Each structure stands twice: as C-alpha cells, then as structure tokens.
Amino acid sequence: MTEAKGGERDAARARLQAVRARFADRLAARVNELVDVIEAARGGRAELEEAASLAHRLAGTAGSFGYAEAGEHAASVEAALRGVQRGSVEWDALDRALAALRLHTP
Amino acid sequence: MHRHHRRLQTSRERDTLIIVPGASITKVMLVDDDEDLRLIGRAALSDIGGWCTLLAEGGEEAIRLAAAERPDVILLDAMMPRIDGPATLGRLREHEATAGIPVIFMTAKAQPEDIERYLGLGAIGVIRKPFDPLGLASEVSRILAEAGGGV
C-alpha cells in the first residue's frame, strides 16, 4: 500500500466522503425498488427470488457506505424472503422486516 | 492451497528499516455485480490504498480483464448471478495467464464453513461484507503478506 502524506490522506478521505454522501439518495431509491418488487411478489411468487437478490446486494453494500443498520435490516429482509420462499416464514414477518429497513433509510 | 510469494518493498527512513506489507501491489481488480459496491470499493482501493483499480461486474468480464491486465490481486464477490465467485476462481486457475493471480473472496455470508470452503478452493483469504472502506486496502495488504510467507 502506498504511504500517503498527510495532505494526500486528507484529500483521499474527502473523496471517499463524497462517494459516501452520494449514496444516500441511491439507498432510498434501492429500498423503494425492493419494496416495489416485494409488492409484485404478493401476486405471484416469481419475484421473490429477484427481491431476495436485491436485498442480499443491499445488505453487503449499505454497510460499506456507513449505513450499518440499513445493511443489517436488509439482511433481515433477505432472510425473511428466503423463509417465505421455503414456506417457513409468514408474510407478516417479512412486512415487519421491511418496515424496519424503511425506518433506517434516509 | 495456492501460495503466492510476493516481494516486500523496504525503505530506510531515519535509519529505521520499514517493511510495508504488500507494497509491491500496483494493480488490483474488484469483481462485484453491485454497481454501488464497485464505487465504494474503488474509492477504498484507489483513493485510500493508492492502487490502480480495475472493476468487473461479473465472472466473464473478470476472466477476460484478468488475462489482459494481469492484476496483482483479485477481490472476488462470492455470490454473483451466472458465473459465481467459486466458478470464476476455477476458470481463472485453468488459464496460464491468470492461474497464479492471488484471489481474495468477498462475502456477506462468512460462516466458518464458508471461509473454509473458499480457502479450500485456493483463495488466499476472505473479506467480510460490509467492509470498512478506510481499512480495506490494509486488509488486502495483510492477507497478501500472510500468504506470501508471513511478516
């Protein structure tokens, strides 16, 4: 790893912060997309896999941008979706997990 | 397990020998199907790590790009559509141009049995997602240094 001087390090952190800041809107849009796909999955269950994939990716990404709680709730939504797919989790539990995710979305 | 031996860069500063693990890295490749993850990953590896970062959104692009660019290390998402991480690693190992490139898996599913499986496939390490962008490059350096014989 290249040893950065103080000024360079500050500039690098500022660039990183800018990338993080731009994610806030993206996070809200991604949660809205997830809500829409889950809504569509209530009619037929073909969308459950797509919703689980969206939730999985959000779980890995949100925390890396500093939204740790949103990432953890996205992981809970993914687990609930997998449970609904298997028939071991009720939709009510999925709705609660989704509500918690929305609560932690900026 | 594949072992990749790596030269460590040394420098003298105020008569103190400083060993910087993984300092010979110049080029890394990040493979992930999530666009936002690639953005924060590149910021962590290029802005904080100071490395040239190649990005690939899937296994096929990763295999093509790795053969052309020969990165020093590949960070590979485990769970991807079409060709997943383990399958991508297998394909990289089949080609002479890419067989020796060290691979580190990145995964949100990092149970001990998953980590054991990835190491068994020939990865030199596993990094958990989510990651701390300020610490990602250091983590990569540490894993490379340990795989190269320990520092």
Side-chain angles (χ1 to χ4, degrees):
Chain A
M1 200 164 100
T2 305
E3 291 288 308
K5 300 276 185 291
E8 288 175 27
R9 197 164 50 234
D10 290 346
R13 282 174 184 252
R15 284 196 297 274
L16 180 65
Q17 196 49 44
V19 172
R20 278 176 157 169
R22 283 197 296 272
F23 182 70
D25 289 342
R26 288 278 308 140
L27 176 57
R30 290 181 62 159
V31 170
N32 285 337
E33 183 188 4
L34 178 60
V35 169
D36 288 347
V37 174
I38 289 174
E39 204 52 47
R42 289 181 203 278
R45 298 205 164 186
E47 286 83 1
L48 278 175
E49 184 56 42
E50 184 191 349
S53 173
L54 288 174
H56 173 82
R57 284 165 44 193
L58 193 54
T61 299
S64 302
F65 277 92
Y67 295 94
E69 287 183 323
E72 286 164 15
H73 287 291
S76 299
V77 170
E78 183 197 0
L81 281 160
R82 300 284 182 207
V84 169
Q85 274 182 313
R86 285 192 306 268
S88 60
V89 169
E90 298 297 325
W91 279 93
D92 284 358
L94 171 58
D95 289 338
R96 283 196 297 276
L98 195 56
L101 171 60
R102 295 176 83 166
L103 201 61
H104 290 89
T105 302
Chain B
M1 191 174 107
H2 171 76
R3 309 283 292 183
H4 191 89
H5 293 273
R6 188 159 289 277
R7 181 179 60 83
L8 294 175
Q9 181 177 307
T10 59
S11 63
R12 285 191 178 277
E13 185 178 301
R14 293 179 192 159
D15 296 322
T16 308
L17 185 66
I18 298 169
I19 298 174
V20 185
S24 58
I25 304 174
T26 57
K27 197 190 286 184
V28 300
M29 184 164 82
L30 172 64
V31 188
D32 199 290
D33 61 326
D34 192 286
E35 186 183 355
D36 290 319
L37 196 288
R38 292 196 300 275
L39 281 180
I40 192 73
R42 183 174 61 189
L45 298 166
S46 292
D47 290 334
I48 304 297
W51 299 327
C52 168
T53 307
L54 307 166
L55 300 175
E57 61 178 289
E60 286 181 1
E61 188 184 6
I63 291 157
R64 197 170 56 244
L65 200 58
E69 296 284 343
R70 311 278 185 101
D72 298 304
V73 60
I74 297 173
L75 305 186
L76 182 59
D77 184 26
M79 195 186 284
M80 294 186 292
R82 295 182 294 280
I83 309 177
D84 68 3
T88 302
L89 174 58
R91 295 266 298 272
L92 289 167
R93 291 290 177 262
E94 286 172 7
H95 297 283
E96 193 183 343
T98 56
I101 301 174
V103 167
I104 298 170
F105 273 110
M106 296 188 76
T107 180
K109 191 166 174 265
Q111 299 300 316
E113 61 270 22
D114 298 314
I115 294 172
E116 196 67 28
R117 186 167 76 89
Y118 296 144
L119 296 178
L121 291 171
I124 61 166
V126 177
I127 291 176
R128 209 178 283 269
K129 285 200 288 187
F131 57 81
D132 171 13
L134 291 173
L136 181 64
S138 299
E139 181 74 353
V140 171
S141 293
R142 184 190 62 75
I143 291 171
L144 273 168
E146 285 181 6
V151 172

Coordinates of all heavy atoms in Angstrom, one line a residue, chain A residues 1-3 12-13 15-16 19-20 23 26 30 56-57 59-61 63-65, chain B residues 20 22-23 33-34 36-37 40 43 47 49-51 79 130-131 133-134 137-138:
Chain A
M1 N 0.8 -1.2 0.0 CA 0.0 0.0 0.0 C 0.9 1.2 0.0 O 1.8 1.3 0.7 CB -0.9 0.0 1.3 CG -2.1 0.8 1.2 SD -3.2 0.4 2.5 CE -2.9 1.6 3.7
T2 N 0.5 2.2 -0.8 CA 1.3 3.4 -0.9 C 1.1 4.2 0.4 O 0.0 4.4 0.8 CB 0.9 4.2 -2.1 OG1 1.0 3.4 -3.3 CG2 1.7 5.5 -2.3
E3 N 2.2 4.7 1.0 CA 2.1 5.5 2.2 C 1.7 6.9 1.8 O 2.5 7.6 1.1 CB 3.4 5.5 2.9 CG 3.8 4.2 3.5 CD 2.9 3.9 4.7 OE1 2.8 4.7 5.6 OE2 2.3 2.8 4.7
A12 N -7.8 12.2 0.1 CA -8.4 10.8 -0.2 C -9.6 10.6 0.6 O -10.6 10.1 0.1 CB -7.3 9.8 0.0
R13 N -9.5 11.0 1.9 CA -10.7 10.8 2.8 C -11.9 11.7 2.3 O -13.0 11.3 2.4 CB -10.3 11.2 4.2 CG -9.5 10.1 4.9 CD -9.1 10.5 6.3 NE -8.2 9.5 6.9 CZ -8.6 8.7 7.9 NH1 -9.8 8.9 8.4 NH2 -7.8 7.8 8.3
R15 N -12.5 12.6 -0.8 CA -13.1 11.9 -2.0 C -14.0 10.8 -1.6 O -15.0 10.6 -2.1 CB -12.0 11.5 -2.9 CG -11.3 12.6 -3.7 CD -10.5 12.1 -4.9 NE -9.4 11.2 -4.5 CZ -8.2 11.7 -4.2 NH1 -7.9 13.0 -4.3 NH2 -7.2 10.9 -3.9
L16 N -13.5 10.0 -0.6 CA -14.3 8.9 -0.1 C -15.6 9.4 0.5 O -16.6 8.8 0.3 CB -13.4 8.1 1.0 CG -14.1 6.9 1.6 CD1 -14.3 5.8 0.5 CD2 -13.2 6.4 2.7
V19 N -18.1 10.2 -2.2 CA -18.7 9.0 -2.7 C -19.8 8.5 -1.7 O -20.9 8.1 -2.1 CB -17.6 7.9 -2.9 CG1 -18.3 6.5 -3.3 CG2 -16.7 8.3 -4.0
R20 N -19.5 8.5 -0.4 CA -20.5 8.1 0.6 C -21.7 8.9 0.6 O -22.8 8.5 0.6 CB -19.8 8.1 2.0 CG -19.0 6.9 2.3 CD -18.3 7.2 3.6 NE -17.9 5.9 4.3 CZ -17.2 5.9 5.4 NH1 -16.7 7.0 5.9 NH2 -16.9 4.7 5.9
F23 N -24.4 8.3 -1.9 CA -25.1 7.1 -1.8 C -26.4 7.2 -1.1 O -27.3 6.4 -1.2 CB -24.2 6.0 -1.1 CG -24.9 4.7 -1.0 CD1 -25.1 3.9 -2.1 CD2 -25.3 4.2 0.3 CE1 -25.7 2.7 -2.0 CE2 -26.0 3.0 0.4 CZ -26.1 2.2 -0.7
R26 N -29.2 7.1 -3.4 CA -29.2 5.8 -4.0 C -29.8 4.7 -3.1 O -30.6 3.9 -3.5 CB -27.8 5.3 -4.4 CG -27.1 6.1 -5.5 CD -27.6 5.5 -6.9 NE -27.4 4.0 -7.0 CZ -28.2 3.2 -7.5 NH1 -29.4 3.7 -8.0 NH2 -28.0 1.9 -7.6
R30 N -33.0 2.4 -3.9 CA -32.8 1.0 -3.9 C -33.9 0.3 -2.9 O -34.4 -0.8 -3.2 CB -31.4 0.6 -3.5 CG -30.4 0.9 -4.6 CD -29.0 0.5 -4.3 NE -28.9 -0.9 -4.1 CZ -27.7 -1.6 -4.2 NH1 -26.6 -0.9 -4.5 NH2 -27.7 -2.9 -4.1
H56 N -30.1 -9.0 -0.8 CA -28.7 -9.5 -0.5 C -27.7 -8.5 -0.9 O -26.7 -8.2 -0.1 CB -28.5 -10.8 -1.3 CG -27.1 -11.3 -1.2 ND1 -26.7 -12.1 -0.1 CD2 -26.0 -11.2 -2.0 CE1 -25.4 -12.4 -0.2 NE2 -25.0 -11.9 -1.4
R57 N -27.8 -7.9 -2.1 CA -26.8 -6.9 -2.5 C -26.8 -5.7 -1.7 O -25.8 -5.1 -1.4 CB -27.1 -6.6 -4.0 CG -26.6 -7.7 -4.9 CD -27.1 -7.6 -6.3 NE -27.0 -6.3 -6.8 CZ -27.7 -5.8 -7.9 NH1 -28.4 -6.6 -8.6 NH2 -27.5 -4.6 -8.3
A59 N -27.7 -5.5 1.4 CA -27.1 -5.9 2.7 C -25.6 -5.7 2.7 O -24.9 -5.2 3.6 CB -27.5 -7.3 3.1
G60 N -24.9 -6.2 1.6 CA -23.5 -6.1 1.5 C -23.0 -4.7 1.2 O -21.9 -4.3 1.6
T61 N -23.8 -3.9 0.5 CA -23.4 -2.6 0.1 C -23.6 -1.5 1.1 O -22.8 -0.6 1.3 CB -24.1 -2.2 -1.3 OG1 -23.7 -3.2 -2.2 CG2 -23.6 -0.9 -1.8
G63 N -23.9 -1.2 4.3 CA -22.9 -1.1 5.4 C -21.6 -0.6 5.0 O -20.9 0.1 5.8
S64 N -21.1 -0.9 3.8 CA -19.8 -0.4 3.3 C -19.8 1.1 3.1 O -18.8 1.7 3.0 CB -19.5 -1.2 2.0 OG -19.4 -2.6 2.2
F65 N -21.0 1.6 2.9 CA -21.1 3.1 2.8 C -21.4 3.8 4.1 O -21.6 5.0 4.2 CB -22.3 3.4 1.8 CG -21.9 3.4 0.4 CD1 -22.1 2.2 -0.3 CD2 -21.4 4.5 -0.3 CE1 -21.8 2.1 -1.7 CE2 -21.1 4.4 -1.6 CZ -21.3 3.2 -2.3
Chain B
V20 N 6.9 -2.6 4.4 CA 5.4 -2.3 4.1 C 4.8 -3.5 3.5 O 5.1 -3.8 2.4 CB 5.3 -1.1 3.2 CG1 3.9 -0.7 3.0 CG2 6.1 0.1 3.7
G22 N 2.8 -5.9 1.3 CA 2.0 -5.8 0.1 C 2.4 -4.5 -0.7 O 1.6 -4.1 -1.6
A23 N 3.5 -3.9 -0.4 CA 3.8 -2.6 -1.0 C 4.1 -2.8 -2.5 O 4.1 -1.8 -3.2 CB 5.0 -2.0 -0.3
D33 N -21.1 -7.7 -8.6 CA -22.3 -7.4 -9.5 C -23.0 -6.1 -9.1 O -24.0 -5.7 -9.7 CB -23.2 -8.6 -9.6 CG -23.8 -9.0 -8.3 OD1 -23.1 -8.8 -7.3 OD2 -24.9 -9.5 -8.2
D34 N -22.6 -5.5 -7.9 CA -23.4 -4.4 -7.4 C -22.6 -3.1 -7.8 O -21.4 -2.9 -7.4 CB -23.5 -4.5 -5.9 CG -24.5 -3.4 -5.4 OD1 -24.1 -2.2 -5.3 OD2 -25.6 -3.8 -5.0
D36 N -22.9 0.1 -6.9 CA -22.6 1.0 -5.8 C -21.4 0.4 -5.0 O -20.5 1.1 -4.6 CB -23.8 1.2 -4.9 CG -24.8 2.0 -5.5 OD1 -24.5 3.0 -6.2 OD2 -26.0 1.7 -5.4
L37 N -21.4 -0.9 -4.9 CA -20.3 -1.6 -4.1 C -19.0 -1.4 -4.9 O -17.9 -1.1 -4.3 CB -20.6 -3.1 -4.0 CG -19.8 -4.0 -3.0 CD1 -18.4 -4.3 -3.4 CD2 -19.8 -3.4 -1.6
I40 N -17.7 2.2 -4.1 CA -17.1 2.4 -2.8 C -15.8 1.6 -2.7 O -14.8 2.0 -2.1 CB -18.1 2.1 -1.6 CG1 -17.5 2.6 -0.2 CG2 -18.4 0.6 -1.5 CD1 -17.6 4.1 0.0
A43 N -13.1 3.5 -4.5 CA -12.7 4.7 -3.6 C -11.7 4.1 -2.5 O -10.7 4.7 -2.2 CB -13.9 5.4 -3.0
D47 N -8.3 5.6 -3.8 CA -8.1 6.8 -3.0 C -7.4 6.5 -1.7 O -6.4 7.3 -1.4 CB -9.4 7.5 -2.7 CG -10.1 8.1 -4.0 OD1 -9.3 8.4 -4.9 OD2 -11.3 8.2 -4.0
G49 N -6.0 3.3 -0.7 CA -4.9 2.4 -1.0 C -3.8 2.9 -1.9 O -2.7 2.5 -1.9
G50 N -4.2 3.8 -2.8 CA -3.3 4.3 -3.8 C -3.0 3.4 -4.9 O -2.0 3.5 -5.6
W51 N -3.8 2.4 -5.1 CA -3.6 1.4 -6.2 C -4.5 1.8 -7.4 O -5.5 2.4 -7.3 CB -4.0 0.0 -5.7 CG -3.2 -0.5 -4.5 CD1 -1.9 -0.2 -4.3 CD2 -3.7 -1.3 -3.5 NE1 -1.6 -0.8 -3.1 CE2 -2.6 -1.5 -2.6 CE3 -4.9 -1.9 -3.2 CZ2 -2.7 -2.2 -1.4 CZ3 -5.0 -2.7 -2.0 CH2 -3.9 -2.8 -1.2
M79 N -21.0 -14.4 -4.3 CA -22.3 -14.7 -4.8 C -22.7 -13.7 -5.9 O -23.0 -12.5 -5.7 CB -23.4 -14.6 -3.7 CG -24.7 -15.3 -4.0 SD -26.0 -15.0 -2.8 CE -25.5 -16.2 -1.5
P130 N -20.5 -6.1 5.0 CA -19.8 -4.9 4.6 C -18.4 -4.7 5.1 O -18.1 -5.3 6.1 CB -20.8 -3.8 5.2 CG -21.4 -4.5 6.4 CD -21.5 -5.9 6.0
F131 N -17.6 -3.9 4.4 CA -16.3 -3.7 4.8 C -16.1 -2.2 5.1 O -16.9 -1.4 4.8 CB -15.3 -4.1 3.7 CG -15.5 -3.3 2.3 CD1 -15.1 -2.1 2.1 CD2 -16.2 -4.0 1.3 CE1 -15.3 -1.4 0.9 CE2 -16.5 -3.3 0.1 CZ -16.0 -2.0 -0.1
P133 N -14.3 1.0 4.3 CA -13.5 1.5 3.2 C -12.2 2.0 3.6 O -11.2 2.0 2.8 CB -14.4 2.6 2.6 CG -15.7 2.6 3.3 CD -15.6 1.7 4.5
L134 N -12.1 2.6 4.8 CA -10.8 3.1 5.3 C -9.8 2.0 5.6 O -8.6 2.2 5.6 CB -11.0 4.0 6.5 CG -11.7 5.3 6.3 CD1 -12.0 6.0 7.7 CD2 -10.9 6.2 5.4
A137 N -7.9 -1.6 2.1 CA -6.6 -1.8 1.4 C -5.6 -2.4 2.4 O -4.8 -3.3 2.0 CB -6.0 -0.4 0.9
S138 N -5.6 -2.0 3.7 CA -4.8 -2.6 4.7 C -5.1 -4.0 4.9 O -4.1 -4.9 5.0 CB -5.0 -1.9 6.1 OG -4.6 -0.5 6.0

